[in-house]
Every structure is written in structure tokens, then in C-alpha cells.
Amino acid sequence: DVDIQAADLSMSGVNNSAYAFDGFRYDPQLHTATWTLPQPLNKDRLRIDLDANGAAPVTDLDGNILDGEWVNNSSTISGNGTAGGDFEFNLNLLPTDVNNSSSITALDYTYIRQLEGKTTSNTGYIAKRDIDGSGVIDSEDWQAAIDSYFQTLPSGVPAGVNNDAPTTKGIARVEIHDHQTTVEVSL
């Protein structure tokens, strides 16, 4: 079980420097934290960042701080043996790119079309090819690939590189008109 808050997770991208979440809940029975987004994600290179080095990091109920270091494409476990260090994870999102080529081509259409008619109860059903998540691979799914031909992942690196992803949700605008005045903002 952990002590975790909504603000402990941030998500940044190339196309959107800071994604806002509109819901959070923690289930202590299942040990599962769930953040929800206000709308589906579009193509982007994303970084999620779970806080282990901020003012109120994720801890277990004894107060031990998350050991979160993670190296994309090489780590098999999180952490380096020392408490602290955010868990940062990169992922690429390009709906209908079912072969992970970073672009949508006729191959994606073909791979989806090969499974047309398969449902969640059929052997051979592959959820990644059920683009709309309806539980059946059908013309809606392969048509989505056709409609997305030639789309590619954006180039670049998510905004949250090497530290907490930026977040602006809930921060009031602050204006300073007298440069001799010290203004303190608590986040």
C-alpha cells in the first residue's frame, strides 16, 4: 500500500507540453492508482513521471520513498537501490500504427484487415488491432488506418526530460508589477 496523490503523476509530450488529468482514485485493496484524462490521446511522444523526489513524494505507509529510477528499453525493475528518483517512462502513441513502425501505411491496414471478424472471445484476437476498442475487429478499425495513412510520430523529446514533467493545472496566474517586491508562490 502507498501514500499517493493525484499530483504525484505528470505527463508531458512533444505535441502537448503538459497533459492535465481530470480524475484520480486510489484503491487500497487492489493497490492501484488510476488517473483519467478528459479526452482520448492523439499521436504524441509521451513521458509519464511518478514523483519520488519532490516535496510530497510517493511513499509506502511506513514513509519509505519510492525508488523509481527506470531506464527505457533496458530496465527490468524500477529503482537503483536508493530511495528517491522519479519513475519516468517514455511511450509513443500513434493510433492505428499496429506494427510499431512510427508511421501509418498500407501494412497497418493489412494487419488489421487480416483479423476482420475476430472478437475478444476468438483465438487470434489482438486488442491492438481493435482500434476503436469495440471488442470486434471490423471495417471501423481498418477504415481508421486508411483515414490515418501517412501520419507519423512527431519528432523531438517530451517536455519533461530529466525531471518532473511540467504541469500548470491549478496554478493561478501571478503578475509582479513591482520588481522590488518578493513574491512567493506555494505549489
Side-chain angles (χ1 to χ4, degrees), residues 21-172:
F21 298 106
D22 70 348
F24 169 79
R25 77 179 170 83
Y26 178 70
D27 184 330
Q29 306 303 318
L30 297 175
H31 308 291
T32 303
T34 304
W35 287 262
T36 55
L37 295 159
Q39 59 201 19
L41 294 169
N42 289 315
K43 69 178 183 176
D44 207 348
R45 292 184 184 269
L46 302 170
R47 171 169 290 181
I48 58 172
D49 184 304
L50 190 60
D51 187 28
N53 65 4
V58 176
T59 65
D60 64 17
L61 297 184
D62 293 328
N64 298 306
I65 297 172
L66 170 72
D67 182 9
E69 287 84 5
W70 174 269
V71 179
N72 281 295
N73 299 319
S74 63
S75 290
T76 57
I77 61 168
S78 172
N80 64 358
T82 303
D86 289 359
F87 176 85
E88 295 178 337
F89 188 80
N90 293 337
L91 60 136
N92 296 328
L93 178 67
L94 184 57
T96 72
D97 178 21
V98 299
N99 66 349
N100 297 324
S101 67
S102 300
S103 63
I104 300 167
T105 67
L107 281 176
D108 297 295
Y109 161 82
T110 301
Y111 291 143
I112 295 167
R113 190 77 191 253
Q114 287 173 339
L115 298 182
E116 187 167 16
K118 298 276 186 185
T119 68
T120 55
S121 60
N122 295 130
T123 301
Y125 171 85
I126 299 173
K128 186 172 184 170
R129 297 186 193 178
D130 183 4
I131 305 304
D132 62 7
S134 66
V136 61
I137 299 171
D138 58 17
S139 63
E140 298 286 326
D141 301 306
W142 54 259
Q143 184 63 52
I146 292 171
D147 294 345
S148 301
Y149 269 6
F150 307 116
Q151 285 191 18
T152 61
L153 277 170
S155 61
V157 179
V161 175
N162 298 327
N163 206 342
D164 294 333
T167 181
T168 56
K169 186 174 182 182
I171 299 175

